[in-house]
Amino acid sequence: MNRAAAAIFLALLCSACPKRIEFGPEGQLTDAEQVYQRVRQNQDNVASLEGDAKLHVDSPQQSGTVGMFLSVTRPGMLHLETFDFFNRPLAFLTADGTRFGLFQAQTNTWYQGPASPQNVSRFLPVVLPGEELVAIMLGQVPLLPPERMTLELDTKEGVYVLTLHQGPATQVLQVHPKYLRVVKSQVRGVPGYDLAFDDFLERGDLIFPGRVELIASQARTKLQLRYQQVKLNGRPDLSLYDLAPPEGAKVVEVDDAGRELSGPPPESSPPPVPGS
């Protein structure tokens, strides 16, 4: 056997070998309920995030990459700013769980209304509830409430496979054996989307994915968020969630479907007086 053939044979042989699996301090886990609870605990440890990222969108409506500054805080507080190639601001969106505001720099227009899925997802070609969008940006997977679950060890991929069953729906979770964080999530049997997480960062006791990917197959849409410099579980800057329109901006009120309402925007109620 010549050297080239030997190299090819060796490569094929190694590709068929199972990956070496590094488990956490408890060793290999065999109980599905235990893995499920560890996953829930570990992904719930991150409550807020602030920093810079790159958002790549690939969909029939649009494709491209934009720079983004973001600040998200559970359960539904959200602030996103996008920039062009020259780092000039394009727009920013803010939501506090109840109301939202969106400023478009090109038209100097401020849109405001209820924090419905249609409104808080205006930066994206997929529609998600605000709390769900915040959770995904924090590296969390919305989990099916399981009626039953099964656990396997995939030695080829080097992951646990935790499958949650609820009626006709299933959610297959690939779980990192050391970090006990979800690497991939696939929902079948009900409308949904797939998630993938990678480039995990260790920040003290926190494990956080540096790359988040959402795939909505029916909409032929893929979103990829790559974090660059982020701060986890810091004290949120509440000024970022201020819903006052920028000075001089045209104000447009929209309904929960994102449709513009005629007439002037309703006056906001004054804050309650302490002690009243």
Side-chain angles (χ1 to χ4, degrees):
M1 183 182 296
N2 60 37
R3 291 185 179 181
I8 294 174
F9 175 77
L10 183 60
L12 291 173
L13 181 65
C14 291
S15 66
C17 296
K19 292 184 178 180
R20 179 182 176 275
I21 301 176
E22 183 180 0
F23 296 103
E26 297 173 285
Q28 181 180 347
L29 303 179
T30 58
D31 181 67
E33 177 67 27
Q34 186 179 15
V35 173
Y36 175 73
Q37 294 299 335
R38 291 288 194 280
V39 166
R40 290 188 58 184
Q41 293 166 9
N42 290 341
Q43 71 174 14
D44 286 349
N45 284 340
V46 180
S48 67
L49 176 150
E50 182 178 311
D52 299 317
K54 292 286 186 182
L55 174 66
H56 178 76
V57 177
D58 186 2
S59 75
Q61 296 79 25
Q62 57 180 309
S63 294
T65 302
V66 294
M68 175 179 289
F69 168 81
L70 68 164
S71 177
V72 292
T73 301
R74 290 192 310 190
M77 301 179 75
L78 183 71
H79 179 92
L80 307 176
E81 298 181 33
T82 57
F83 305 88
D84 65 13
F85 179 78
F86 300 101
N87 208 35
R88 294 174 299 201
L90 295 172
F92 70 84
L93 182 146
T94 300
D96 65 0
T98 303
R99 299 277 295 172
F100 100 105
L102 169 67
F103 180 67
Q104 296 280 9
Q106 187 174 10
T107 60
N108 194 35
T109 304
W110 171 261
Y111 298 90
Q112 63 182 24
S116 63
Q118 288 80 3
N119 285 332
V120 300
S121 300
R122 281 178 172 241
F123 274 9
L124 308 173
V126 293
V127 176
L128 295 171
E131 292 189 7
E132 202 165 307
L133 180 58
V134 166
I136 293 170
M137 288 186 166
L138 290 174
Q140 300 165 4
V141 179
L143 299 171
L144 282 177
E147 296 169 349
R148 62 185 180 90
M149 64 185 81
T150 60
L151 179 69
E152 298 176 0
L153 179 66
D154 186 333
T155 55
K156 183 178 179 181
E157 296 296 327
V159 294
Y160 291 119
V161 179
L162 177 65
T163 304
L164 311 180
H165 300 266
Q166 185 195 54
T170 60
Q171 184 174 20
V172 180
L173 305 171
Q174 291 188 8
V175 179
H176 196 291
K178 178 182 178 182
Y179 300 138
L180 295 177
R181 291 290 306 257
V182 174
V183 177
K184 290 183 179 179
S185 167
Q186 295 178 314
V187 176
R188 298 293 181 265
V190 293
Y193 48 82
D194 296 341
L195 293 169
F197 303 90
D198 203 352
D199 300 339
F200 285 92
L201 311 171
E202 295 190 48
R203 301 285 180 86
D205 294 333
L206 300 177
I207 304 297
F208 185 76
R211 182 177 66 85
V212 178
E213 187 172 272
L214 183 150
I215 302 171
S217 298
Q218 290 184 339
R220 293 180 296 157
T221 295
K222 181 166 70 173
L223 307 176
Q224 187 179 95
L225 191 64
R226 284 189 175 273
Y227 291 109
Q228 295 173 310
Q229 295 183 354
V230 293
K231 178 176 64 175
L232 304 177
N233 288 350
R235 177 175 294 181
D237 181 357
L238 297 181
S239 66
L240 292 173
Y241 306 116
D242 184 7
L243 288 169
E247 186 175 354
K250 176 186 176 183
V251 177
V252 176
E253 190 78 17
V254 299
D255 64 12
D256 57 5
R259 297 172 298 216
E260 295 186 16
L261 300 175
S262 59
E267 294 183 2
S268 58
S269 302
V273 178
S276 62

